[in-house]
Amino acid sequence: MSTDSGSRPPAMSDVALAAGVSHQTVSRVLNGHPSVRPETRDRVQAAIASLGYRRNSAARALVTRRSDTLGVVTPASALYGPTSTLVAFEQAAREAGWYVSVATMRRFTAESMRGAVEHFLDHGVDALVVIAPTREVAAAVSGLDVPVPVVLICSALELRETAGVLSVGVDQRLGARLATRHLLARGHTEVLHVAGPQDWFDAQDRLAGWREECAAAGVVVREPIVAGWSADAGYDVGRELAARGRVPESIFAANDQLALGLEHAFWDAGIRVGQDVALVGFDDEVGSAHYLPPLTTVRQDFVRLGTLAIEVLRGALGSSERRGAPRLVPPEIVVRRSSGV
């Protein structure tokens, strides 16, 4: 089936004629309206496929004042948290009918952030999302003043309350408290924390949650060991603890990669994880169930985080409200053999 014009692309009116329905019915099918009968929807979709019809997004944007596109600014990082956040948000946005345009940045300054924002505004995005895991990103966000809603995905409580934007995040402090509480409930009187780099908000909140839970239990803590995020960093920490004979009863590692490195170092030193020392990580990254021994860890619900960010965006687009109370996704503890059998 083809149109009679020869040169022009098929229009919505051509689809309506081919399917034997009204222009309004075609519009309802394209917009996923629930009132269309299944057989009618099938007929319209068959006509769309046969004609090769494509919606004129530019014309539609003029009418609706919406581009159905969201701009996302995120660090150029392959680390588990930011990457998982971006993937989950993109999937949630697509399911909600939005396309996502992404700007990855290696350095965050007020100038580079402004350039990314201006680029997105020039392309008519409906809203902006900033994945802000570090102080550098947060500083660049703090001066934003744009005519569209901005949602910050960030764990830092203080930043979310003062940044003047809408925000969502995983409750990192709660996750750290769950990890620490689990180890204390196993009868351990000492929980060492191997922390992540302190310019990362996740690392700050996990350290704070560990301190809070130890204080609530009346446990005296030794100073945390601040490391990086990598398995290499965890291995170095574990090797030094073993060499000095200072391996504690239990350890809460700030992420699963640190825990992996600790397991390796302790294995080399003949120290049995799950027996001589209890170990808990954070993230439940792919493969953590297959560490030796399988890793007890804290799982972040990135799917829920992405959905929550979309919910907040929908609300912002339907009102003039551009700030509100931070909304948090609770994590959960996943118990495996590394914390004891």
Side-chain angles (χ1 to χ4, degrees):
M1 187 181 296
S2 63
T3 61
D4 294 332
S5 66
S7 59
R8 71 171 177 84
M12 195 181 295
S13 57
D14 298 315
V15 175
L17 179 63
V21 299
S22 68
H23 184 282
Q24 185 180 38
T25 298
V26 176
S27 178
R28 286 176 175 170
V29 171
L30 290 170
N31 290 300
H33 199 283
S35 67
V36 181
R37 290 182 299 178
E39 58 271 24
T40 302
R41 186 182 305 277
D42 291 344
R43 198 161 69 247
V44 170
Q45 290 175 339
I48 289 171
S50 177
L51 292 170
Y53 169 77
R54 290 185 178 276
R55 186 189 307 212
N56 188 328
S57 298
R60 183 172 181 272
L62 289 173
V63 175
T64 64
R65 298 181 181 272
R66 296 279 176 84
S67 66
D68 292 336
T69 303
L70 303 173
V72 177
V73 182
T74 184
S77 169
L79 289 172
Y80 182 78
T83 300
S84 298
T85 299
L86 176 61
V87 170
F89 177 78
E90 192 279 332
Q91 290 175 341
R94 189 153 27 90
E95 290 172 2
W98 272 300
Y99 291 97
V100 171
S101 180
V102 179
T104 59
M105 300 172 64
R106 296 194 178 279
R107 293 188 62 253
F108 280 85
T109 63
E111 182 179 357
S112 64
M113 179 64 75
R114 173 56 57 185
V117 169
E118 291 295 340
H119 169 79
F120 285 135
L121 293 178
D122 287 346
H123 286 78
V125 296
D126 296 333
L128 293 172
V129 173
V130 180
I131 299 173
T134 65
R135 289 186 179 278
E136 182 186 43
V137 182
V141 172
S142 62
L144 283 181
D145 181 19
V146 296
V148 297
V150 177
V151 171
L152 190 69
I153 301 181
C154 178
S155 70
L157 179 62
E158 295 83 359
L159 175 64
R160 291 195 306 265
E161 291 177 338
T162 61
V165 296
L166 298 163
S167 59
V168 299
V170 174
D171 194 336
Q172 304 290 331
R173 290 195 184 200
L174 174 59
R177 295 195 69 158
L178 291 174
T180 307
R181 189 178 306 162
H182 170 74
L183 290 168
L184 293 173
R186 293 290 177 104
H188 300 294
T189 58
E190 178 186 25
V191 180
L192 172 67
H193 182 43
V194 179
Q198 291 301 293
D199 59 333
W200 283 70
F201 294 121
D202 286 1
Q204 293 175 17
D205 278 358
R206 292 171 195 177
L207 188 150
W210 163 75
R211 286 194 187 277
E212 290 167 1
E213 192 63 27
C214 287
V219 174
V220 178
V221 299
R222 74 162 78 166
E223 279 300 301
I225 298 174
V226 177
W229 286 126
S230 69
D232 286 344
Y235 182 80
D236 289 342
V237 170
R239 188 171 57 178
E240 184 172 349
L241 288 171
R244 293 186 178 185
R246 299 186 61 199
V247 177
E249 298 176 20
S250 65
I251 300 174
F252 163 43
N255 76 344
D256 289 352
Q257 284 294 300
L258 283 170
L260 176 61
L262 287 164
E263 283 198 353
H264 183 186
F266 293 152
W267 172 271
D268 285 351
I271 297 166
R272 299 166 298 174
V273 173
Q275 298 178 60
D276 301 324
V277 56
L279 177 64
V280 175
F282 203 112
D283 281 335
D284 194 29
E285 68 175 21
V286 175
S288 61
H290 301 287
Y291 289 6
L292 292 175
L295 183 66
T296 295
T297 185
V298 176
R299 176 180 295 158
Q300 303 188 71
D301 190 346
F302 290 109
V303 172
R304 176 58 187 149
L305 180 62
T307 302
L308 182 60
I310 291 297
E311 289 176 8
V312 170
L313 277 176
R314 282 188 185 278
L317 288 167
S319 72
S320 59
E321 183 59 53
R322 292 294 184 266
R323 65 179 64 196
R327 298 182 62 182
L328 298 176
V329 176
E332 63 177 321
I333 187 85
V334 181
V335 178
R336 301 186 181 109
R337 295 207 308 272
S338 70
S339 59
V341 293

